[in-house]
Amino acid sequence: MDANPRYVVERDNALQRKNDLGPLDEIDPRKEKFPCCLVWTPLPVVSWLAPFVGHAAICREDGTIVDFSGANLIYVGNLSYGDVARYYQLDRQQCCFPRTLGGHTCNKSYQHAEFGTGVSWDDAVHLSARNFEHRTFNLFTCNGHSFAAHFLNRLSYGGSMDWNMVNVWALILSKGQWVDGSAILRSFVPFIVMLCYGVLILGWPFLVIMLSFFLLIAGWYLLIAYCFKNLDDDED
């Protein structure tokens, strides 16, 4: 059966709009401008014990950071927990910006429409912020990575509607770039100091304690992301 001609036209128009996306400004860490990026920073105290745990946020097309960082709080302009240490610039060509059901360029049109969409990058940022400004921040179940995952699902980024805290974290970890050398030091030196101090005071058993702590945190986030999704589900 041939596709509905109206849907074909709408899809072609949506593809054309994606091809007509304008250029982005340069990334400028000194001005805290990260156009179309996911950004990450270590968390005070928590990252001293587990350097892979941090806080994530999203950015507008002009580079402005939009950060879900507290109960019913969306912070605009910079990260509330410190300067950006790591960033990953997303590809707008991998986003779906439908204006109608027939305008979807992803393969998850019905699921995407039911979840919620955005007609542009900044529209998706705005709608995600509106959704999370009524939520209570929780490091374990509803945090900055949850906010970023909601945003990526609203874009159907990469054709996926399965973004969650874990794969957002993995994306930043595997593809993100460090802002500079001081960002690396800021992320790992406190952990190294804590590790050395713990071994000095408690001896080698401290390493077993730290490893157990790492496994506990990793196991918790994996359970939340893949086994108890209702605790981290997006609510419109």
Side-chain angles (χ1 to χ4, degrees):
M1 181 180 295
D2 293 336
N4 187 318
R6 180 170 62 86
Y7 279 12
V8 172
V9 170
E10 290 173 350
R11 182 181 175 86
D12 289 344
N13 289 339
L15 289 170
Q16 183 60 45
R17 287 197 301 272
K18 287 176 66 173
N19 292 331
D20 292 339
L21 292 172
L24 297 173
D25 292 336
E26 293 292 326
I27 292 172
D28 189 347
R30 288 180 297 179
K31 295 182 179 179
E32 295 187 306
K33 295 296 184 181
F34 298 87
C36 295
C37 286
L38 298 178
V39 291
W40 181 92
T41 190
L43 283 168
V45 182
V46 178
S47 296
W48 300 354
L49 301 174
F52 56 85
V53 176
H55 179 69
I58 60 180
C59 300
R60 296 173 181 163
E61 285 185 309
D62 66 0
T64 302
I65 297 170
V66 180
D67 180 21
F68 170 60
S69 56
N72 306 315
L73 176 63
I74 299 294
Y75 200 73
V76 178
N78 50 39
L79 286 173
S80 56
Y81 292 103
D83 294 336
V84 173
R86 201 174 177 93
Y87 65 90
Y88 175 63
Q89 190 167 50
L90 297 163
D91 181 4
R92 289 177 296 171
Q93 294 296 330
Q94 296 191 48
C95 302
C96 179
F97 301 123
R99 295 183 178 177
T100 64
L101 185 60
H104 283 265
T105 56
C106 65
N107 295 322
K108 305 283 182 70
S109 57
Y110 290 102
Q111 184 182 358
H112 190 196
E114 183 179 7
F115 179 88
T117 65
V119 297
S120 68
W121 181 279
D122 285 349
D123 182 52
V125 171
H126 172 72
L127 292 172
S128 295
R130 287 289 301 272
N131 183 284
F132 270 73
E133 69 183 3
H134 302 296
R135 299 195 187 193
T136 300
F137 183 90
N138 184 312
L139 179 62
F140 298 104
T141 60
C142 186
N143 51 44
H145 288 76
S146 307
F147 179 47
H150 176 99
F151 171 68
L152 293 179
N153 283 325
R154 189 173 286 277
L155 295 176
S156 187
Y157 187 76
S160 174
M161 292 293 301
D162 296 318
W163 292 100
N164 55 49
M165 288 188 293
V166 172
N167 52 28
V168 166
W169 168 81
L171 179 65
I172 297 173
L173 181 69
S174 62
K175 296 186 177 182
Q177 300 181 49
W178 293 102
V179 169
D180 53 29
S182 65
I184 300 175
L185 294 176
R186 181 160 51 90
S187 299
F188 289 102
V189 167
F191 167 72
I192 294 172
V193 171
M194 289 289 293
L195 190 64
C196 293
Y197 183 75
V199 171
L200 181 65
I201 299 299
L202 299 178
W204 295 111
F206 182 75
L207 296 180
V208 177
I209 296 173
M210 291 296 290
L211 178 60
S212 300
F213 179 66
F214 293 163
L215 293 175
L216 181 63
I217 290 180
W220 171 262
Y221 285 121
L222 287 170
L223 282 172
I224 292 298
Y226 297 105
C227 298
F228 300 103
K229 294 182 180 181
N230 59 308
L231 293 179
D232 187 40
D233 272 348
D234 299 298
E235 300 174 2
D236 292 329

